[in-house]
DNA sequence: ACATAATTGTACAACGATGAACAAAAAGCA
DNA sequence: TGCTTTTTGTTCATCGTTGTACAATTATGT
């Protein structure tokens, strides 16, 4: 009946809160997934940040650097540092927009598209393997929870600038 | 081995897979949470990596740098870079072990303990706020799923060295 | 006991991410 | 039109993270 009250005095440690412990697990899983993905992509000379870029160019051809940075939740300067590398490797193209001479429109080259497909294959396999034990319904519920968290954090972030 | 031939006809993209989409949501939520936490901790001059260290010293007094790095899933060199900073700020102490002269045993100073409690307060509030909408049971299920993922990734990582 | 291997922490160079300052171009407004 | 403000991308200095090589210490094996 009053098991909660008994433990109530000890509940002032963060790691005793269920939500806190849950989030720590989420963060650790993310960190490990990132590290594992980094190793599995190494032979393609692609790192997670590069893959994030490539996948978005695969999906959204002709996107601008600004839009890309926004999707990836990083600063514009980040794109200015990474994109020229991918361009020099012949994986992407940056063409100036005719109507707006400020923007650079991004697209994959054939080589970039091929490499992206190989890398996505690896990433998908890793994900399917790691959470293959979880039923689809559980994954959907997790996704729904995460979407709510994302919305809450984006909202408060949007109030800053 | 080649299940891919099945999907080849309909060109299934990764973002059409439920598990893939779920994991992307998890990663984005983590990224946003980290960024928000960074801003909320700024006035304490503490960043998420520092807080991770402080919390672990709070829980596990007398831990070694090696053990700490292992818990945080980072390299030893990382600790060698960060810990002297925290030591100079008077937040932690590093004392050599008498029996094993290689190891440095870490502990919080009173100032470090106070700062850690303030920072944990902020982090806990952010987490409770962000996933406050999710029922405790959902959080527990998410935690269970993440633990399984962590176990799977740690296992395959342990087979490497 | 002695040589070899494994461990613990450090130093250093390379890379990614960030924020501020900047130039060019476009948009808004009088 | 002419002026200011906003947007877009770049540059740069700074910081965190990583991997490698290294020194000191301990453990292991013969």
């Amino acid at each position: 009946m009053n098991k909660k009250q008994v433990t109530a005095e000890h509940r002032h440690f963060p790691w005793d809160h269920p939500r806190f412990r849950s989030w720590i697990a989420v963060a650790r899983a993310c960190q490990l997934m990132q590290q594992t993905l980094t190793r599995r992509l190494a032979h393609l000379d692609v790192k997670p940040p590069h893959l994030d870029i490539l996948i978005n160019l695969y999906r959204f051809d002709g996107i601008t650097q600004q839009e890309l940075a926004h999707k990836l939740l990083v600063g514009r300067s980040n794109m200015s540092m990474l994109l020229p590398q991918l361009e020099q490797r012949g994986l992407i193209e940056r063409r100036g927009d005719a109507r707006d001479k400020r923007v650079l429109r991004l697209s994959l080259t054939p080589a970039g598209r091929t490499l992206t497909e190989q890398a996505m294959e690896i990433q998908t396999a890793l994900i399917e393997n790691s959470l293959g034990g979880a039923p689809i319904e559980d994954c959907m519920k997790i996704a729904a929870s995460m979407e709510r968290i994302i919305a809450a954090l984006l909202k408060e972030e949007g109030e800053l600038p």
Side-chain angles (χ1 to χ4, degrees), chain A residues 121-140:
Chain A
E121 192 77 25
I122 294 173
Q123 188 183 25
T124 304
L126 173 60
I127 292 174
E128 292 282 337
N129 233 317
S130 302
L131 31 153
I136 295 284
E137 333 147 355
D138 287 17
C139 290
M140 306 282 279

Side-chain angles (χ1 to χ4, degrees), chain A residues 74-87:
Chain A
V74 298
R76 287 168 302 174
S77 54
N78 194 343
M79 296 297 98
S80 279
M81 305 286 281
L82 294 184
L83 290 175
Q85 301 175 10
L86 298 177
E87 190 179 26

Side-chain angles (χ1 to χ4, degrees), chain A residues 7-74:
Chain A
T7 59
E9 328 177 24
H10 308 288
R11 284 254 167 172
H12 53 288
F13 294 115
W15 47 84
D16 292 328
H17 293 248
R19 286 196 242 267
F20 186 91
R21 295 183 71 95
S22 297
W23 189 257
I24 298 305
V26 172
R28 277 180 67 88
C30 268
Q31 205 179 343
L32 268 170
M33 188 73 87
Q34 187 95 341
Q35 290 176 0
T36 306
L37 182 62
T38 300
R39 285 198 305 272
R40 297 220 183 161
L41 291 175
H43 66 102
L44 295 178
D45 198 19
V46 169
K47 288 170 187 174
H50 303 143
L51 181 53
D52 286 340
I53 292 174
L54 293 174
I55 290 181
N56 272 277
L57 295 196
Y58 197 96
R59 284 187 78 171
F60 310 106
D61 188 83
I63 200 178
T64 70
Q65 293 193 187
Q66 168 86 314
E67 295 165 338
L68 182 57
H70 186 254
K71 281 183 185 297
L72 299 181
L73 302 172
V74 298

